[in-house]
Amino acid sequence: MSFDRTQPPLVFGEALFDCFPDGAEVLGGAPFNVALHLQAFGARPVFISRIGNDELGARIEQAMTSRGMTTLALQHDPSHDTGTVQVKLADGEPSYEIVTDVAYDHIDAVALPPMPSGGLLYHGSLALRQSDSADALRTLRGRLDPAVFIDVNLRDPWWNKAQLQHLIEGASWVKLNADELELLAPGGDDVESRATQLCDRYGLKAVFATLGARGAVAVSGNGEIDRVAPGAQVEVVDAVGAGDGFAAMLIIGLLRGWAVADTLERAQAFASAIVGRRGATVDAPAFYAPFIDQWGL
């Protein structure tokens, strides 16, 4: 497996709307959030997903075109609705129903367009809950031999440990949180030892573990361990999407060939800025400009 940093990154998975009781509809989905950030940083991602022939699908396509993203690999499904999450509130506490059998569950391997090989392919785990999209991802990985970045997002009951372990076997990088790391590598005594265990078991180039308010840890395949903590003045307005911003900056670092320690610090800085705003993404070039200028993007 080679890694051609000159190729645009491929982002595979769900775009959906969180639908609230008051009628609000918020665009999201971890892969889509990551793709939007990558586009804002000039990485020209190819977003691979499937939407319904409905109003929500049209809004997703419009969000992409308005930001200058290619819709080359955005499929339209005549039989299934665009993905949604129904948010319910009970005594002020939210619960979530991730609606199943929606368009992103049926990404069609046959309809995948020609794409360059040897680049970076990002995907999560939610969009693999049904066989159509799982087959499409398998086809992509087999056809393109990409360097794979897996963003583990375990949403009960929509994940399968055996399937996830099989996917990690062919990956280069894995990002996950501390709870997910403990599920996949239960034998270690702490985050660092579990990440090392996961890295060694699957021959990964690096494992990135996010720790919430405690920051993050990166364990590289050569045994190096890097840590980062948030700054003291981080104001949390909305933590939704912090992990997606973190993942996007990790990918930028991989594409640019940054040192792991620098990548980790910049990912933490960008995630800290995301949590200071409402929403998982920002449709404002001015928000990204200081990072672009500071890091030469």
Side-chain angles (χ1 to χ4, degrees):
M1 174 190 10
S2 60
F3 175 29
D4 185 351
R5 292 187 173 92
T6 67
Q7 298 294 351
L10 309 179
V11 178
F12 180 101
E14 68 275 9
L16 51 79
F17 279 87
D18 291 323
C19 301
F20 292 84
D22 64 359
E25 296 168 333
V26 179
L27 180 56
F32 191 60
N33 293 340
V34 168
L36 293 179
H37 289 312
L38 291 176
Q39 179 68 16
F41 282 119
R44 300 177 296 110
V46 177
F47 182 57
I48 305 160
S49 190
R50 194 170 176 93
I51 55 175
N53 288 334
D54 49 30
E55 189 262 341
L56 293 182
R59 287 167 61 183
I60 289 171
E61 190 163 15
Q62 173 58 30
M64 293 176 65
T65 56
S66 68
R67 291 166 169 84
M69 293 176 65
T70 178
T71 57
L72 170 73
L74 184 66
Q75 302 177 4
H76 294 78
D77 193 313
S79 304
H80 299 91
D81 295 335
T82 297
T84 56
V85 175
Q86 299 298 322
V87 183
K88 299 178 181 179
L89 299 174
D91 298 325
E93 292 297 320
S95 62
Y96 306 92
E97 178 195 354
I98 305 175
V99 178
T100 189
D101 199 27
V102 294
Y104 70 74
D105 289 313
H106 299 281
I107 300 172
D108 185 359
V110 175
L112 292 171
M115 286 177 279
S117 61
L120 183 147
L121 169 64
Y122 165 102
H123 70 80
S125 44
L126 178 60
L128 309 180
R129 60 187 179 175
Q130 292 199 22
S131 60
D132 285 347
S133 290
D135 289 344
L137 179 66
R138 189 178 305 111
T139 297
L140 268 178
R141 289 179 59 160
R143 179 190 301 171
L144 303 180
D145 191 28
V148 176
F149 184 112
I150 297 181
D151 192 352
V152 177
N153 286 297
L154 303 186
R155 300 289 182 266
D156 289 333
W158 308 120
W159 68 282
N160 178 289
K161 186 173 182 178
Q163 179 197 45
L164 187 56
Q165 289 173 324
H166 178 70
L167 291 167
I168 293 174
E169 286 176 358
S172 294
W173 308 279
V174 172
K175 172 195 161 283
L176 69 183
N177 64 34
D179 292 337
E180 292 162 342
L181 178 58
E182 188 169 4
L183 284 169
L184 294 175
D189 295 327
D190 52 29
V191 168
E192 288 84 354
S193 63
R194 292 185 185 112
T196 299
Q197 177 190 135
L198 195 68
C199 208
D200 291 345
R201 178 178 178 183
Y202 294 103
L204 299 168
K205 293 183 178 179
V207 171
F208 302 98
T210 57
L211 311 175
R214 295 184 290 128
V217 171
V219 173
S220 300
N222 61 9
E224 291 184 2
I225 298 176
D226 294 284
R227 303 174 182 83
V228 65
Q233 302 303 316
V234 174
E235 178 185 0
V236 178
V237 174
D238 183 357
V240 174
D244 305 333
F246 192 92
M249 190 52 66
L250 292 178
I251 292 170
I252 293 292
L254 293 169
L255 294 173
R256 290 301 185 111
W258 292 343
V260 174
D262 292 339
T263 300
L264 198 65
E265 287 194 8
R266 293 168 183 180
Q268 183 65 59
F270 183 62
S272 294
I274 289 292
V275 302
R277 300 177 61 108
R278 183 71 60 190
T281 59
V282 182
D283 187 13
F287 174 78
Y288 295 91
F291 302 105
I292 292 172
D293 293 342
Q294 182 179 356
W295 300 328
L297 297 173

